[in-house]
Amino acid sequence: MRKWAAARWLAKDGTSVDTGKMTLIVTSLGAVLTTLLGVLVGSVLSSRSQQRQWSRDRQADACARVLGESSNVLIELAALTRQSIHAAPDGASVPTPLDWRPWNEALAMINLVASHEVVNAARAIDVEIWPVHQQIKRGWIADGGWPALRDPIEARRQDFVNIVRKHL
């Protein structure tokens, strides 16, 4: 059996250099650099994936909050229709017992985290709610008129759900 001698070559100054050791060093250095590059690329990709998931979760939470708060507003408006309210003239300032902060906070959050189409769908719910609220608090609703006032709001809520499903 023949033993292979390490390859040698002569440097310019006449000294002998062992290429086997050099090959081992270069190969090891290449492996280390490749490993570090793989770790760096994996870290970047993992970070992006986590950011996308976090963003998607935040959007889902904000959308759920819009639906929840719009339901709360509808419940409160329905309760107002059952109260005796004296009709107020147009332009008169009429106080309301509704707390609008949670609804406005839900709209603000959706504006921060969602796409334009989802935001516009949430605003469409808001656009339907305000005139209904004005009619109810001024006593401009006939007995049994609540379902007719509620239906356009419910239609905008269903539009919102369909748009959110498409985006999430």
Side-chain angles (χ1 to χ4, degrees):
M1 195 161 183
R2 181 174 177 189
K3 288 187 177 181
W4 294 93
R8 294 187 182 272
W9 56 279
L10 293 177
K12 286 185 179 180
D13 64 358
T15 59
S16 173
V17 177
D18 185 1
T19 57
K21 289 181 183 176
M22 188 179 298
T23 301
L24 180 64
I25 291 171
V26 169
T27 304
S28 297
L29 185 60
V32 167
L33 290 176
T34 303
T35 302
L36 289 175
L37 181 63
V39 168
L40 179 65
V41 169
S43 172
V44 168
L45 292 176
S46 175
S47 175
R48 284 185 185 173
S49 175
Q50 287 176 350
Q51 286 175 342
R52 275 191 297 251
Q53 184 62 39
W54 179 85
S55 177
R56 186 177 182 279
D57 290 346
R58 295 289 290 184
Q59 289 178 36
D61 291 344
C63 291
R65 189 164 178 203
V66 164
L67 288 173
E69 292 303 332
S70 65
S71 292
N72 291 340
V73 168
L74 286 175
I75 290 168
E76 291 183 39
L77 289 175
L80 280 177
T81 63
R82 292 186 295 274
Q83 294 177 3
S84 175
I85 299 174
H86 302 291
D90 194 16
S93 178
V94 179
T96 181
L98 271 66
D99 182 9
W100 290 101
R101 284 177 297 155
W103 171 243
N104 290 328
E105 289 170 359
L107 288 176
M109 183 57 72
I110 205 80
N111 277 310
L112 291 174
V113 300
S115 69
H116 293 293
E117 194 174 3
V118 172
V119 169
N120 289 338
R123 286 181 183 163
I125 298 170
D126 191 49
V127 166
E128 290 292 337
I129 287 175
W130 284 104
V132 170
H133 172 249
Q134 291 298 320
Q135 289 177 3
I136 292 171
K137 81 175 188 174
R138 292 178 183 286
W140 296 351
I141 181 174
D143 286 341
W146 169 241
L149 293 173
R150 181 195 64 219
D151 288 345
I153 299 170
E154 288 294 344
R156 295 300 76 75
R157 291 179 78 227
Q158 186 60 47
D159 293 344
F160 178 78
V161 168
N162 292 334
I163 289 170
V164 167
R165 284 182 180 157
K166 185 171 69 171
H167 284 274
L168 292 180

